[in-house]
Amino acid sequence: MDDLLRIDDGLSEEQRLIRDTVKGFVADRVLPHVGDWFEEAVFPARELGPVLGSLGVLGMHLDGYGCAGLDAVSYGVACRELEAGDSGLRSFVSVQGSLAMFPIWKYGSAEQKEQWLPRMAAGEAIGCFGLTEPDHGSDPANMRTHAKQDASGDWILNGAKMWITNGSIADVAVVWAQTEDGIRGFVVPTDTPGFSAPEIHKKMSLRASVTSSLYFDDVRLPASAVLPGVRGLKGPLSCLSEARFGILWGVVGAARACLESAVDYSKTRVQFGRPIGGFQLTQEKLAWMYVGLGQAQLTALHLGRLKDAGALTPQQVSFGKLANVRAAIDIARRSRSILGGNGITLEYPVIRHMTNLESVLTYEGTEEVHILTLGRALTGLDAFH
């Protein structure tokens, strides 16, 4: 499909190389199999992790410790091409780099960084991020998971987390818990006694992704397990801003894949003696879908450049996540209608992307949370309470 707005012309040569490299990986290693992964509810993380590590996309926006140290737009472009394959693939990379590696890199001790980051960048160790709880999703300030220090100085961690990507395959979990000094982050090896992570089954979305609950039953951690560089909600919320940036780029890839499928189908599906792409109503759908895709691409690129300039705010990230996910869902649904009955089969990517995007709409900040974030920015009045 032609890039009528020539948006990628604004990418640097290195950014276009990253685009083509990740796109080639997705075409060779993901697209031939992802329909089966989705249908069977599996994701070959141990197989793909080292390959993704060798591509340099795990923690690619971080410096040192084996990370590529690339700019924000490069990271965004990689997320776009990964999610053109599947949201589960982009989620794996996003959770690894922005939710598990980033807090260790940003707030961890030298020992924590040396122990985990090189292996995670190489895809040899998998991480997860424990914030959301069964009863506290959009209200993390009232989380029930807690940690207390005993007389020996060890931390005793108790509680539960839910909807945790990579949870049951992770080697390390970054877990946020209430303490006497406020919310703190803990680096928790998943082989620690008392830690368990059963996988969540019967999902109808993000099926090519591992989603789990985390349980902590008197998990004993040394004093060195705490992230020393942050206290309070600033820690987990800063991680979510990093991950949401990847989402607002990633969904552009899912939307593009749906539109490309719809365009190709419209040119070959013949009804009433001619391709349905020649009918005015079909062209109207395609035109509006392309307008939405172009606007989402431009939003992502603009926010990427703001991030590279050190000027990106959480409110701008909320704008991007809110606008781009909604645009992607609209494109997926219109694409499904153009494909008719074929739109609900895994022979085409559309229904897979469409159901995945229903999860992307609510994870890492629901639509309502981002609406109220923008409302507060516009009015100065807090409607959260």
Side-chain angles (χ1 to χ4, degrees):
M1 187 179 70
D2 291 338
D3 179 11
L4 300 179
L5 295 180
R6 305 187 69 84
I7 294 171
D8 274 11
D9 286 3
L11 301 178
S12 68
E13 183 177 350
E14 182 180 39
Q15 289 161 352
R16 289 194 295 270
L17 177 61
I18 291 167
R19 173 199 65 191
D20 295 342
T21 300
V22 177
K23 189 172 187 177
F25 161 78
V26 169
D28 293 341
R29 299 292 297 269
V30 177
L31 292 181
H33 311 292
V34 70
D36 293 332
W37 298 341
F38 187 92
E39 186 170 24
E40 297 165 12
V42 298
F43 181 74
R46 292 295 174 187
E47 174 188 339
L48 293 181
V51 181
L52 291 164
S54 68
L55 289 177
V57 299
L58 301 179
M60 63 185 291
H61 55 310
L62 308 178
D63 291 312
Y65 305 96
C67 302
L70 295 173
D71 57 58
V73 171
S74 294
Y75 175 54
V77 168
C79 287
R80 183 186 72 185
E81 299 307 324
L82 290 165
E83 194 149 351
D86 192 81
S87 297
L89 176 65
R90 196 270 309 146
S91 291
F92 174 83
V93 171
S94 178
V95 167
Q96 180 85 341
S98 292
L99 292 182
M101 295 176 69
F102 173 78
I104 296 173
W105 178 84
K106 180 76 172 178
Y107 305 120
S109 66
E111 293 77 12
Q112 290 167 341
K113 295 174 186 180
E114 291 289 352
Q115 180 180 2
W116 291 109
L117 293 181
R119 293 172 56 211
M120 295 175 79
E124 297 169 359
I126 295 172
C128 68
F129 176 85
L131 178 64
T132 299
E133 297 189 351
D135 297 319
H136 296 282
S138 298
D139 184 20
N142 288 309
M143 68 175 70
R144 295 179 182 174
T145 299
H146 60 275
K148 293 183 178 180
Q149 279 188 296
D150 65 10
S152 71
D154 287 351
W155 291 93
I156 310 301
L157 178 67
N158 283 282
K161 304 293 183 179
M162 194 172 187
W163 305 118
I164 308 303
T165 298
N166 299 345
S168 58
I169 58 172
D171 301 287
V172 62
V174 175
V175 178
W176 302 91
Q178 297 278 12
T179 75
E180 292 181 353
D181 297 322
I183 292 172
R184 303 296 301 270
F186 295 85
V187 179
V188 184
T190 59
D191 60 0
T192 306
F195 179 99
S196 61
E199 188 171 352
I200 296 171
H201 297 289
K202 297 185 178 181
K203 296 182 300 176
M204 299 306 293
S205 176
L206 284 177
R207 290 175 59 80
S209 177
V210 175
T211 311
S212 313
S213 298
L214 306 182
Y215 296 106
F216 318 105
D217 183 10
D218 286 337
V219 173
R220 179 174 292 273
L221 301 168
S224 60
V226 72
L227 293 172
V230 71
R231 296 172 188 258
L233 276 177
K234 173 187 174 182
L237 294 184
S238 66
C239 301
L240 289 174
S241 285
E242 290 291 313
R244 289 164 180 164
F245 176 79
I247 289 173
L248 70 88
W249 272 92
V251 294
V252 172
R256 189 191 71 206
C258 291
L259 179 54
E260 288 174 343
S261 184
V263 169
D264 291 344
Y265 188 85
S266 76
K267 293 190 290 187
T268 58
R269 174 66 167 174
V270 175
Q271 294 288 279
F272 305 104
R274 59 180 174 141
I276 62 172
F279 292 112
Q280 291 180 358
L281 290 178
T282 302
Q283 290 196 358
E284 181 186 25
K285 290 179 182 179
L286 294 173
W288 280 118
M289 289 155 66
Y290 189 77
V291 168
L293 177 65
Q295 290 172 333
Q297 287 179 300
L298 289 168
T299 295
L301 184 59
H302 176 65
L303 295 182
R305 287 173 172 163
L306 284 176
K307 187 170 174 58
D308 280 327
L312 186 66
T313 68
Q315 292 79 15
Q316 291 164 341
V317 174
S318 284
F319 178 99
K321 207 253 183 183
L322 177 68
N324 284 10
V325 175
R326 177 52 61 184
I329 288 177
D330 181 64
I331 290 167
R333 290 174 178 170
R334 288 177 184 252
S335 297
R336 218 271 331 143
S337 73
I338 289 174
L339 269 67
N342 286 320
I344 68 166
T345 77
L346 292 175
E347 297 299 317
Y348 299 87
V350 175
I351 192 66
R352 179 168 50 78
H353 284 299
M354 193 173 87
T355 59
N356 284 342
L357 288 167
E358 291 294 337
S359 290
V360 180
L361 179 68
T362 54
Y363 74 22
E364 296 177 33
T366 64
E367 195 171 54
E368 291 81 0
V369 164
H370 294 298
I371 286 170
L372 296 182
T373 297
L374 292 177
R376 181 170 57 190
L378 291 169
T379 66
L381 303 173
D382 191 346
F384 282 94
H385 302 292

